[in-house]
Amino acid sequence: MEKFIDNLPAMDLMRSEKMTFVQLIIPVESAHRAISYLGELGLLQFRDLNSDKSPFQRTFVNQVKRCAEMSRKLRFFRDQISKAGLLSSVHPVLQPDIELEELEIQLAEHEHELIEMNSNSDRLQHSYNELLEFKIVLQKASGFLVSSNSHAVPEERELDENVYSNDDYGDSVSLLEQDIRPGPSDQSGLSFVSGIICKSKALRFERMLFRATRGNMLFNQASADEQIMDPLSTEMVEKTVFVVFFSGLQAKTKILKICEAFGANCYPVPEDITKQRQITREVSSRLAELEATLDAGIRHRNKALTSVGFHLAKWMNMVRREKAVYDTLNMLNFDVTKKCLVGEGWCPIFAKTKIQEALQRATFDSNSQVGIIFHLMDAIESPPTYFRTNRFTSAFQEIVDAYGVARYQEANPAVYTCITFPFLFAVMFGDWGHGICLLLGALILIARESKLSAQKLGSFMEMLFGGRYVLLLMSLFSIYCGLIYNEFFSVPFHIFGGSAYKCRDTACSEAYTIGLIKYRDPYPFGVDPSWRGSRSELPFLNSLKMKMSILLGVAQMNLGILLSYFNARFFSSSIDIRYQFVPQVIFLNSLFGYLSLLIVIKWCTGSQADLYHVMIYMFLSPTDDLGENELFWGQRPLQIILLLLALIAVPWMLFPKPFILKKLHTERFQGRAYGMLGTSEMDLDVEPDSARQHHEEFNFSEVFVHQMIHSIEFVLGAVSNTASYLRLWALRYTYIVYILHIL
């Protein structure tokens, strides 16, 4: 068996790429171009050689700040374009390449121009709003003043003769009576304040005025005919015009303070109708002039934003790339002469030639007299994980990486996820009608792949487009499982011939109560359509799909354990095989592998045994007689043996591995307490941080706790994961009920 496994071909797709540790010595004059070319290649991961320095202590911190400032300006332009309702160009306009310094000057000029235009526009808009409010106040308040004057004329004689003949009564006359008296109102100091306020604040404003003046005021209000822009939120709000009649300077002071507190704007309105009309004409003419000026300013501002929007995408990409280049340069160190930069990093072995070509091109393009030195180095630390992906496998790799990234050279689960993920989806949502709809959507995304990849999509469409090949496989497997379930939008069809069952009588009156009888060979493919609507439909289909879910779950969990075996063989770790792989296989298959075997036997023999009873009493009463639940000869002693093996497998996973690792560590470093004497310079040069960490003491407690957590997680996970696979059946049942409810 071992010879057969050793003779298997290498699993290149299954494992990450082999990595090598390299060092680069780059002259200063070609450093920027070299890092830029390497970034476009995307096959070299640099180590941070300045991890002990803060971001503000690094060499190229000023350039990073400049790029950050330019990014801020570009975001400001993008927000202004979006606020103006303009569309920025998705495809960058072809223009000659510009240097970063020229771009910085252009961005500063555009920002200064745009800020100045915004400031002028805000001032003009503020003046326009004030004049518009003044016009509305003149129109509404004049109505209050005219109505009060016309009301005062017929009652003038009565007020003069009766009210003012008594001097004592003149002190206690009410404000309303003073208001309707035109002549003596000036002598008593009656005046008014007119203005405008938000409609939502009008009620609270009136109450506050009433309390402040103790009721000695008259409040008139009228809604404005048009909405006015709020200068803070730039939204159109409804406002109310008010006129407050009062008496006395103290009341006037209180009213003006309350107006200021509520954000009400007060405007002077003359009592003379001729002056009101004259002021209204002047305000209307100024409003027309301001409106024309505002329109011209908006057109000029939109023209400037449009010119910026044509180049915005290219400028943002350029600044983002430059910032990434300088961030990478900050990870490099200067050599002793301060003329070269030294960098270290990891790259795949297959990419060495491409990297060397990019470095040579950078040297040639920068007219450097000194070439870039690229050589391999040895490293003790574990390399990073790198998987080569394409358009088909990238989405599946992202799904796997969302749960965890495999270690260097470990088996990559994404290879199997390409099939298992869409297939398990189809198990839950198998319907060849819905599968066809999903297939058409996936084919549309794939057919327009080149066009959609160049467009800026929304978050939802971008997610669908990124998983277009996942949708393709999901649709194909959904059609396949839908044919097995014999469901087309939850309706069965006789696709592969006639049913194997028929009615007991010609009228089929008892088909759904007593049931059908079998009269021919089973249905060729999938579920017989006669099961739909029969009295035993739910017990049969639920039992079928629940047991099928358990079989799929146990098979997939065994696949995961098998991958751990190939990992252990690849890393030559016999300890992991003996004390991790073997007990895990024994524990899982002694319980749930045995349950899968019982399911298959029950299907093959047609037995009526209760598997719930068998599995429960396997733990509670393993020595009791199975009776009618016995599926095969020797089942009871086999259950006892499997139960004992499962109990033995738990301490087998937990205890041996930590103690063996401790013993091996002690034997490996025995007699090495005293090492070779050397200078501090040699220690720093020859033995890097990773090597010094390699000689740290073996922490037994940490290893034991880690192994205990791993063992408990596996034992509990074997139970919970098997139960979780029942969701395939549960979601399938819920899906059918939902579709039937719609139909």
Side-chain angles (χ1 to χ4, degrees):
M1 183 66 181
E2 292 184 359
K3 292 182 179 179
F4 172 75
I5 294 176
D6 292 336
N7 292 330
L8 289 176
M11 294 177 286
D12 295 334
L13 292 176
M14 182 176 171
R15 302 196 181 276
S16 62
E17 295 293 333
K18 293 183 179 180
M19 308 291 286
T20 181
F21 191 68
V22 299
Q23 185 183 55
L24 303 178
I25 301 177
I26 310 173
V28 175
E29 61 271 13
S30 58
H32 182 276
R33 199 176 295 272
I35 298 300
S36 179
Y37 290 170
L38 291 176
E40 294 174 359
L41 195 61
L43 293 174
L44 182 62
Q45 178 179 330
F46 283 94
R47 284 180 58 194
D48 190 2
L49 302 180
N50 299 313
S51 57
D52 56 334
K53 296 181 180 179
S54 67
F56 301 101
Q57 295 175 337
R58 307 207 175 194
T59 307
F60 299 94
V61 61
N62 293 328
Q63 288 81 352
V64 173
K65 289 181 179 178
R66 288 171 56 195
C67 293
E69 179 64 18
M70 286 189 284
S71 298
R72 182 196 63 78
K73 295 176 182 177
L74 291 171
R75 289 194 301 269
F76 170 70
F77 295 148
R78 184 184 60 190
D79 295 340
Q80 292 295 315
I81 291 174
S82 177
K83 187 177 179 181
L86 304 175
L87 295 177
S88 58
S89 178
V90 178
H91 304 284
V93 178
L94 297 177
Q95 68 170 142
D97 293 335
I98 60 175
E99 297 294 333
L100 190 66
E101 290 75 12
E102 297 179 8
L103 178 61
E104 186 176 13
I105 295 173
Q106 289 187 20
L107 293 181
E109 293 176 353
H110 287 305
E111 185 188 29
H112 178 73
E113 180 184 6
L114 190 58
I115 290 176
E116 187 175 356
M117 285 190 292
N118 288 340
S119 178
N120 294 334
S121 177
D122 291 341
R123 287 197 298 269
L124 291 174
Q125 186 66 44
H126 183 70
S127 301
Y128 180 81
N129 289 341
E130 287 184 344
L131 289 175
L132 183 60
E133 289 179 350
F134 191 18
K135 179 182 177 181
I136 296 174
V137 170
L138 286 171
Q139 294 173 352
K140 298 295 181 180
S142 61
F144 297 143
L145 298 176
V146 170
S147 62
S148 63
N149 291 333
S150 62
H151 185 218
V153 170
E155 299 182 2
E156 179 179 358
R157 181 174 300 175
E158 181 181 358
L159 287 173
D160 289 341
E161 293 178 357
N162 298 330
V163 176
Y164 294 100
S165 62
N166 190 354
D167 295 336
D168 296 336
Y169 183 77
D171 296 335
S172 60
V173 67
S174 65
L175 284 174
L176 180 59
E177 293 172 344
Q178 294 178 16
D179 180 29
I180 62 177
R181 177 178 48 82
S185 62
D186 295 334
Q187 299 175 1
S188 61
L190 183 66
S191 57
F192 65 91
V193 171
S194 57
I196 192 168
I197 191 173
C198 292
K199 192 173 183 179
S200 59
K201 301 178 181 179
L203 182 59
R204 290 181 287 130
F205 179 64
E206 182 180 1
R207 290 177 179 176
M208 183 60 69
L209 290 175
F210 185 83
R211 293 173 183 174
T213 60
R214 299 182 180 179
N216 292 317
M217 63 93 188
L218 178 64
F219 186 84
N220 292 323
Q221 62 177 340
S223 298
D225 296 334
E226 55 183 309
Q227 294 182 340
I228 302 174
M229 181 181 293
D230 188 355
L232 297 179
S233 61
T234 67
E235 295 180 356
M236 303 301 291
V237 295
E238 295 182 356
K239 292 198 173 185
T240 300
V241 177
F242 64 89
V243 177
V244 183
F245 295 94
F246 59 90
S247 177
L249 294 176
Q250 188 175 3
K252 181 178 180 181
T253 305
K254 291 181 180 180
I255 292 173
L256 292 177
K257 288 184 177 180
I258 293 173
C259 291
E260 183 180 359
F262 277 83
N265 298 326
C266 298
Y267 297 97
V269 178
E271 295 185 8
D272 190 1
I273 298 178
T274 305
K275 291 183 178 180
Q276 290 179 7
R277 292 175 180 175
Q278 181 181 358
I279 295 176
T280 303
R281 287 194 297 268
E282 293 178 359
V283 170
S284 299
S285 63
R286 288 192 60 189
L287 280 173
E289 294 175 0
L290 282 176
E291 189 172 358
T293 306
L294 281 172
D295 291 340
I298 291 174
R299 288 194 299 270
H300 179 64
R301 180 173 174 271
N302 290 342
K303 183 178 179 181
L305 288 175
T306 303
S307 64
V308 172
F310 286 143
H311 312 290
L312 186 63
K314 181 178 180 180
W315 289 348
M316 293 186 75
N317 291 332
M318 179 180 177
V319 172
R320 191 182 299 114
R321 184 176 64 249
E322 291 294 324
K323 187 176 184 297
V325 169
Y326 286 116
D327 284 334
T328 305
L329 287 172
N330 278 330
M331 300 171 68
L332 276 59
N333 259 340
F334 273 105
D335 66 341
V336 180
T337 61
K338 299 292 182 181
K339 295 182 180 179
C340 294
L341 288 168
V342 180
E344 298 177 356
W346 295 93
C347 72
I349 292 179
F350 74 87
K352 289 191 297 183
T353 304
K354 296 181 180 179
I355 293 175
Q356 290 175 347
E357 291 176 355
L359 295 177
Q360 292 175 1
R361 185 158 52 94
T363 303
F364 178 78
D365 293 344
S366 58
N367 297 324
S368 177
Q369 302 297 325
V370 182
I372 301 174
I373 300 175
F374 174 87
H375 62 90
L376 308 181
M377 295 178 63
D378 294 330
I380 300 177
E381 61 184 11
S382 178
T385 303
Y386 174 73
F387 293 106
R388 272 193 287 185
T389 59
N390 50 36
R391 292 177 296 180
F392 180 81
T393 61
S394 59
F396 296 100
Q397 190 66 55
E398 289 180 3
I399 294 173
V400 174
D401 291 343
Y403 290 93
V405 180
R407 290 185 301 174
Y408 177 66
Q409 289 284 283
E410 274 190 341
N412 184 17
V415 178
Y416 306 96
T417 306
C418 294
I419 301 299
T420 58
F421 183 81
F423 180 73
L424 292 180
F425 167 84
V427 171
M428 292 185 287
F429 304 105
D431 188 304
W432 61 278
H434 290 163
I436 291 174
C437 297
L438 190 61
L439 178 62
L440 293 177
L443 291 177
I444 291 174
L445 292 175
I446 294 174
R448 304 182 63 184
E449 182 177 341
S450 58
K451 183 178 180 180
L452 292 175
S453 60
Q455 294 181 0
K456 185 177 181 182
L457 307 175
S459 58
F460 181 73
M461 278 301 300
E462 187 176 358
M463 179 181 64
L464 287 181
F465 180 72
R468 56 195 180 278
Y469 292 104
V470 180
L471 295 177
L472 176 65
L473 290 183
M474 287 164 61
S475 62
L476 294 177
F477 281 119
S478 183
I479 294 173
Y480 170 73
C481 291
L483 292 174
I484 292 179
Y485 297 152
N486 198 351
E487 290 184 359
F488 179 81
F489 295 104
S490 294
V491 177
F493 284 88
H494 294 77
I495 304 175
F496 302 101
S499 173
Y501 299 89
K502 68 177 182 178
C503 299
R504 297 175 183 272
D505 57 351
T506 56
C508 282
S509 58
E510 299 176 345
Y512 301 121
T513 56
I514 299 178
L516 306 173
I517 58 174
K518 185 176 180 181
Y519 74 100
R520 57 183 292 181
D521 292 335
Y523 193 68
F525 185 83
V527 177
D528 196 306
S530 296
W531 284 105
R532 181 60 56 120
S534 65
R535 63 186 181 90
S536 55
E537 176 191 6
L538 285 181
F540 171 73
L541 293 180
N542 284 344
S543 176
L544 171 67
K545 293 170 183 176
M546 181 172 60
K547 293 170 183 176
M548 183 182 64
S549 300
I550 293 177
L551 292 178
L552 292 175
V554 173
Q556 191 172 21
M557 287 189 289
N558 275 291
L559 175 62
I561 298 176
L562 186 63
L563 291 182
S564 68
Y565 169 76
F566 285 108
N567 283 335
R569 281 190 60 85
F570 181 82
F571 294 111
S572 302
S573 177
S574 59
I575 297 177
D576 289 336
I577 296 177
R578 296 173 185 171
Y579 305 106
Q580 188 164 307
F581 167 74
V582 174
Q584 286 180 356
V585 170
I586 292 175
F587 180 84
L588 180 63
N589 292 284
S590 296
L591 300 179
F592 303 105
Y594 173 65
L595 174 60
S596 303
L597 177 64
L598 294 181
I599 291 173
V600 175
I601 294 176
K602 183 178 179 180
W603 280 348
C604 295
T605 60
S607 173
Q608 298 297 321
D610 187 1
L611 298 186
Y612 295 106
H613 183 277
V614 173
M615 293 303 297
I616 290 174
Y617 282 91
M618 178 180 174
F619 294 92
L620 297 180
S621 302
T623 57
D624 289 354
D625 188 16
L626 295 175
E628 61 181 6
N629 292 321
E630 185 174 359
L631 289 169
F632 55 90
W633 180 85
Q635 182 177 355
R636 185 178 63 177
L638 177 61
Q639 288 185 173
I640 297 175
I641 294 173
L642 292 177
L643 183 60
L644 292 176
L645 288 176
L647 294 177
I648 294 172
V650 176
W652 191 352
M653 278 188 288
L654 176 59
F655 294 107
K657 185 177 177 180
F659 289 98
I660 293 175
L661 290 176
K662 182 179 180 182
K663 180 181 177 182
L664 292 177
H665 179 82
T666 305
E667 293 177 353
R668 184 182 305 169
F669 294 101
Q670 188 175 6
R672 298 189 184 183
Y674 299 97
M676 181 180 63
L677 294 176
T679 61
S680 59
E681 295 180 357
M682 182 187 71
D683 294 340
L684 291 175
D685 295 337
V686 177
E687 195 170 303
D689 293 339
S690 58
R692 288 195 294 272
Q693 294 173 1
H694 186 69
H695 294 292
E696 291 182 358
E697 292 185 1
F698 180 79
N699 194 339
F700 175 76
S701 60
E702 182 178 349
V703 174
F704 186 82
V705 169
H706 175 76
Q707 186 65 22
M708 181 175 63
I709 293 173
H710 182 76
S711 302
I712 295 174
E713 182 183 7
F714 177 80
V715 172
L716 297 179
V719 180
S720 63
N721 291 338
T722 305
S724 296
Y725 278 97
L726 294 177
R727 297 175 187 172
L728 300 176
W729 156 68
L731 288 175
R732 174 68 193 165
Y733 179 75
T734 306
Y735 169 76
I736 293 174
V737 172
Y738 175 72
I739 295 300
L740 290 177
H741 176 71
I742 294 177
L743 296 177

